[in-house]
Amino acid sequence: MEKIFSVPLKGGAMTDVYTSSLSEIAKELSSYPSALAVFDDNSLSSYGERPSVPFISIAPGEERKNWESVDQILSRAMGEGLARDSMFIGIGGGVVLDMTAFAASVYMRGARCILIPTTLLSAVDATLGGKTGIDYGGAKNAVGTFFPAEKVIISTAFLRTLPECEYRSGLGEVLKHALLSPDNDLMKFLLAKRDKVLSRDPEAVSEMIRLSLAVKISYITRDPEERKGIRSSLNLGHTFGHALESLYDYSISHGEGVAWGTVKALRAGEELGVTPSGLAADGIALFREYGFDEDRFSIPEDLLPEYLKAIGKDKKKKGGIVRFVLMEDLGKPVLTPLSDSDIEKAVMRKA
Ligand SMILES: NC(=O)c1ccc[n+]([C@@H]2O[C@H](COP(=O)([O-])OP(=O)(O)OC[C@H]3O[C@@H](n4cnc5c(N)ncnc54)[C@H](O)[C@@H]3O)[C@@H](O)[C@H]2O)c1
């Protein structure tokens, strides 16, 4: 295993990030005398062999991110006699990882936890920063804790079995990170290695994940308590995108929504004179290069009020005001409210 980052977090916590092969992960699992591994059915088949530690596999899907699944994890942990110094090991996409870390955080007032992401989205977005939780009362991630993993272990081998739509969902977040990066390393890499990235060449994917994580880390370490608005900038594209996802009844993937939303944020920024035209054009071209076509999703005129209502429900609003992330420059986001007419211009505008 190779350590690629040590990430300092709130309250002196630290998460070490490693890249690894599947055989090294198997070895890591057997090194814990007392542990419970948590999979979903898909990540378990992607793992490929019978885990050497006690394990539980949950049915896949966001709809299983609930108390019932956490209860299954906790009761299995209790049944296996896990103690406070035992290891909870999440091996899966963001759903499994958020629930495993949540269960670890409440078990005996906090057991140990490592996370092994098996989707691109979870590798670049759902393992660092310490947010755990479940969906509750119809709201996403409404109940949870802050509990950073001790270790995150990334293996591109898992991505071989990932369905294309899930891979693209992760790419949406990666492309967003390219705009948030103050240097243009990730942007340049994505443009130069497009074919290798799209064909999931392990070396290219590994480097893309590393560059993408470096961007996320730079935001969370500058604002570990999420108080300065710096970390909120990671929500670039999310406000426009979430409202689209909700309008389409969540039939489009999160990353697809974020990609569309980021393009709309570039358009809104350009219209308001916040985003330089060159940056907007480069950003939109990058998304197009990766097949994220903004015209694939449109807001029919009669559904605009519903779309605006969905924007108003954005759970990240402050003092009742929804703030959008716009880009003043590469790596220079700014949080700002937008009027309904600004939003309308951005989302109804044709390419
Ligand atoms: N904690 C955080 O900071 C954070 C950040 C971003 C997202 N999230 C959460 O992450 C979740 C989304 O993550 P996701 O996109 O990974 O979703 P997911 O966990 O639902 O995985 C997507 C699909 O891929 C399948 N899958 C997983 N690994 C596979 C593999 N290797 N091969 C084949 N199929 C595989 C899963 O079974 C599922 O069907 C959301 O619940 C979101 O709230 C958390």
Side-chain angles (χ1 to χ4, degrees), residues 48 57 65 125 183 189 208 247 261 293 329 343:
S57 182
K65 197 173 168 185
D125 202 24
D183 56 50
F189 178 86
M208 172 180 79
L247 200 70
D293 176 7
D329 205 345
I343 299 169

Side-chain angles (χ1 to χ4, degrees), residues 144-200:
T145 55
F146 178 84
F147 196 72
E150 285 176 26
K151 272 186 196 175
V152 167
I153 306 174
I154 297 171
S155 174
T156 53
F158 286 113
L159 303 183
R160 284 197 293 249
T161 54
L162 194 65
E164 187 60 20
C165 66
E166 298 297 344
Y167 187 65
R168 287 185 56 73
S169 182
L171 282 178
E173 292 282 357
V174 171
L175 267 51
K176 175 207 79 177
H177 281 161
L179 286 166
L180 288 172
S181 171
D183 56 50
N184 59 2
D185 291 356
L186 182 55
M187 177 91 95
K188 275 199 308 221
F189 178 86
L190 288 167
L191 289 170
K193 305 282 179 180
R194 189 193 78 128
D195 292 350
K196 288 197 164 177
V197 166
L198 289 177
S199 64
R200 306 188 200 184

Side-chain angles (χ1 to χ4, degrees), residues 54-288:
F55 69 96
I56 173 172
S57 182
I58 287 159
E62 183 73 34
E63 59 285 2
R64 305 303 295 246
K65 197 173 168 185
N66 56 24
W67 275 120
E68 203 188 321
S69 302
V70 171
D71 186 62
Q72 279 176 35
I73 300 170
L74 292 173
S75 71
R76 185 64 193 273
M78 198 64 95
E80 293 292 338
L82 263 63
R84 249 189 116 178
D85 61 354
S86 302
M87 191 61 86
F88 283 66
I89 306 167
I91 307 182
V95 168
V96 164
L97 304 185
D98 278 6
M99 287 197 299
T100 308
F102 180 53
S105 73
V106 294
Y107 188 76
M108 311 251 169
R109 300 203 178 95
R112 301 176 62 194
C113 178
I114 64 173
L115 298 178
I116 303 177
T118 64
T119 63
L120 179 58
L121 187 130
S122 59
V124 296
D125 202 24
T127 52
L128 286 180
K131 291 181 183 173
T132 85
I134 53 169
D135 303 335
Y136 188 76
K140 276 197 77 180
N141 302 319
V143 170
T145 55
F146 178 84
F147 196 72
E150 285 176 26
K151 272 186 196 175
V152 167
I153 306 174
I154 297 171
S155 174
T156 53
F158 286 113
L159 303 183
R160 284 197 293 249
T161 54
L162 194 65
E164 187 60 20
C165 66
E166 298 297 344
Y167 187 65
R168 287 185 56 73
S169 182
L171 282 178
E173 292 282 357
V174 171
L175 267 51
K176 175 207 79 177
H177 281 161
L179 286 166
L180 288 172
S181 171
D183 56 50
N184 59 2
D185 291 356
L186 182 55
M187 177 91 95
K188 275 199 308 221
F189 178 86
L190 288 167
L191 289 170
K193 305 282 179 180
R194 189 193 78 128
D195 292 350
K196 288 197 164 177
V197 166
L198 289 177
S199 64
R200 306 188 200 184
D201 172 82
E203 231 172 80
V205 173
S206 194
E207 180 61 2
M208 172 180 79
I209 292 173
R210 196 186 63 77
L211 289 168
S212 190
L213 277 178
V215 178
K216 176 152 183 173
I217 290 168
S218 78
Y219 281 77
I220 52 186
T221 50
R222 279 183 291 147
D223 185 13
E225 314 267 338
E226 219 171 350
R227 295 226 175 103
K228 300 182 194 159
I230 298 174
R231 200 165 160 171
S232 318
S233 304
L234 291 166
N235 290 319
L236 173 63
H238 282 62
T239 307
F240 281 116
H242 273 155
L244 182 81
E245 286 176 64
S246 126
L247 200 70
Y248 276 73
D249 223 2
Y250 297 95
S251 60
I252 58 175
S253 77
H254 176 66
E256 199 83 47
V258 167
W260 184 87
T262 304
V263 168
K264 295 305 176 191
L266 290 170
R267 290 217 180 275
E270 187 184 13
E271 182 75 30
L272 292 169
V274 172
T275 307
S277 296
L279 176 65
D282 288 352
I284 292 168
L286 176 70
F287 280 96
R288 209 172 287 138

